[in-house]
Amino acid sequence: MTTVGILGGGQLARMMALAGAPLGLRFLVMDNVADACAGQFAPMVVGDYTDEAALAEFASRVDVATFDFENVPAESAQWLTNRVPVFPKPRALATAQDRLAEKTLFRELDIPVPPFASIDTREQLDAAVAQIGTPCILKTRRLGYDGKGQFRIKTPADASAAWEALGAQAGKVGLILEGFVAFQRELSVVAVRARDGEFRAWPLTENWHVDGVLSASLAPATVDDAMAATAIGYARKLAEALDYVGVFALELFCRDGELLANELAPRVHNSGHWTIEGSETSQFQNHLRAVLGLPLGDTRMVGTACMLNWIGAMPEATAVLAESGGHWHDYGKQPREGRKVGHATLRADSATELAAALVRVGEALGREAQVMPVVLALRP
Ligand code: ATP
Ligand code: MG
Ligand code: MG
């Protein structure tokens, strides 16, 4: 019996455990809160990620370790590698945890990025705002997620407010200033690399964010094959450079036919949730296969799919369940403003059918604004 250890016990760990059950896998989750939602399906070690005693207990009970949470301290991940195989490897995790290291690597690999500058002081911020120009975004280098730890600078006069909001973080997690990309589309490549280097990507996904948080994903994205191939090529180059093992997502902006890399998420990704029903093999199952050294599953799509995120509180399920391609995912979390509590995936055989299902669900749930951009993208 193989036990997979997962650092972080949120919905990603929960869906990983569900995907691993048919493979006969057992799971052990470590989280710093006792009510983490993966704990409903897997035994848990509750402890801080820097607590050696908790990490030692975790390591002693698992055969391999992976992450549902990308901000596990890289030193803790490194510490674990002396006791148990850890995938993705801590070096890949460390790079993806730091927006500056990540963007520097993108540039080294000739993957286009928005202009960026490392910021440690107020003077550097003013100089960088002048150089990069407005609008731009000040972000913490580390620990940000769901758009947290970011401040949008619309005019140079906003620099003071940005420094007030994030300046205190400069000495702690570091800051980075990025040019704001006036993109037409946001895309992501969700891909997997096996221990032996085999690489597979799912069809490109198109994403819509509201206030920095993912709202909807559509696969396949409405881009031509050449652009999809370029995006997947970037993902492959990155995975090889990092000797990456497991599933990851590369987030991209598409502006006037050009792709610019935003960030690499070193884990299964929200924009890949549609793969559970929309692909031959889900991202969760393929992540497990990769970290366990099993053959990877096919990543081809079954029809077309749209995922809708439920943020804050779960809506009524009936309208989605009434759809022939409707699938419901309730993460079993307490409602809380801004929190990802669940998602739905609508799957259909054609774009027209998918658009019609989205319109029905949007109307029934009063979420027209959430489905509308996807419906528009699906128009021939
Ligand atoms: P997550 O890890 O949850 O995807 P995050 O907190 O790491 O989010 P980003 O991905 O950097 O944050 O930003 C969240 C969203 O904010 C992006 O998907 C995009 O919509 C917008 N955004 C971020 N950076 C830029 C930029 N340089 N130009 C334009 N929009 C941006
Ligand atoms: Mg991120
Ligand atoms: Mg992001």
Side-chain angles (χ1 to χ4, degrees), residues 56 112 131 196 295:
Q131 205 220 331
D196 67 2

Side-chain angles (χ1 to χ4, degrees), residues 99 139 145-147 150 186 209 212 251 262-263 265 267 269:
R99 295 188 197 275
K139 298 182 181 178
Y145 68 97
D146 287 348
Q150 303 193 5
E186 280 199 79
H209 291 80
E251 298 180 6
N262 176 34
E263 64 169 347
R267 49 173 170 76
H269 194 251

